[in-house]
Amino acid sequence: MTDDEDLILTEALGAVGASGGGSGGRFGAKFAARRLKKNVHEVELTVEGVSPAEAAGRTADLLLRMGTPVRTAGVQPPDGVRVVRVVRVLVGGGFGNMNPVLVTVTLTGTGQETTEVRVRGAAKEGLIKQRAGEKTARQVATLLTQHLPTPRG
């Protein structure tokens, strides 16, 4: 699911740079972002007691309240995997929530009342390692366990 994570994060950091008001802020932030490493972390959960479609709807509602939706066109699941839904949002992470974090949640129906949930957080890391992708993925997984019934993970 890494099809365009770098591009999305680079554009988001460019928007943060532009909000500073200085000339060249967007360009400078995008230039630097292209050269930064990513902090990526994935958390997997199994949710039982709710249909995959309902789990997908609840997950989408929660994530859309947390951040800005990002298109999911072109995101392809691995062959043979039945994905119910992929939801992507940009949320703030790190110090002062100034570092954009791309959260991708993939829901896969594994039964009538069972859904596998994979939460992926990705953020660019500067010199000071904030682990924003990891922390945000864990935070979203925790919120999902509270929002969806009987998680196992």
Side-chain angles (χ1 to χ4, degrees), residues 79-108:
D79 290 336
V81 174
R82 183 179 161 257
V83 171
V84 175
R85 187 157 188 189
V86 176
V87 183
R88 288 182 129 178
V89 293
L90 272 170
V91 299
F95 180 74
N97 288 333
M98 297 267 313
N99 190 7
V101 180
L102 180 62
V103 177
T104 304
V105 178
T106 306
L107 296 107
T108 307

Side-chain angles (χ1 to χ4, degrees), residues 26-134:
R26 178 182 300 276
F27 175 77
K30 287 171 65 173
F31 180 81
R34 284 188 209 100
R35 286 146 182 80
L36 295 174
K37 292 182 180 181
K38 276 192 302 192
N39 172 250
V40 177
H41 187 74
E42 292 187 359
V43 178
E44 294 184 9
L45 307 166
T46 300
V47 178
E48 294 180 339
V50 65
S51 72
E54 187 176 343
R58 290 183 186 184
T59 300
D61 288 344
L62 176 69
L63 290 176
L64 294 176
R65 282 185 270 146
M66 290 179 66
T68 306
V70 176
R71 67 175 178 78
T72 56
V75 177
Q76 298 296 322
D79 290 336
V81 174
R82 183 179 161 257
V83 171
V84 175
R85 187 157 188 189
V86 176
V87 183
R88 288 182 129 178
V89 293
L90 272 170
V91 299
F95 180 74
N97 288 333
M98 297 267 313
N99 190 7
V101 180
L102 180 62
V103 177
T104 304
V105 178
T106 306
L107 296 107
T108 307
T110 56
Q112 263 186 313
E113 297 276 320
T114 307
T115 307
E116 295 289 328
V117 180
R118 174 175 284 162
V119 179
R120 178 182 173 94
K124 294 289 189 164
E125 286 282 317
L127 292 175
I128 300 172
K129 304 300 181 207
Q130 299 181 43
R131 294 183 301 280
E134 178 180 347

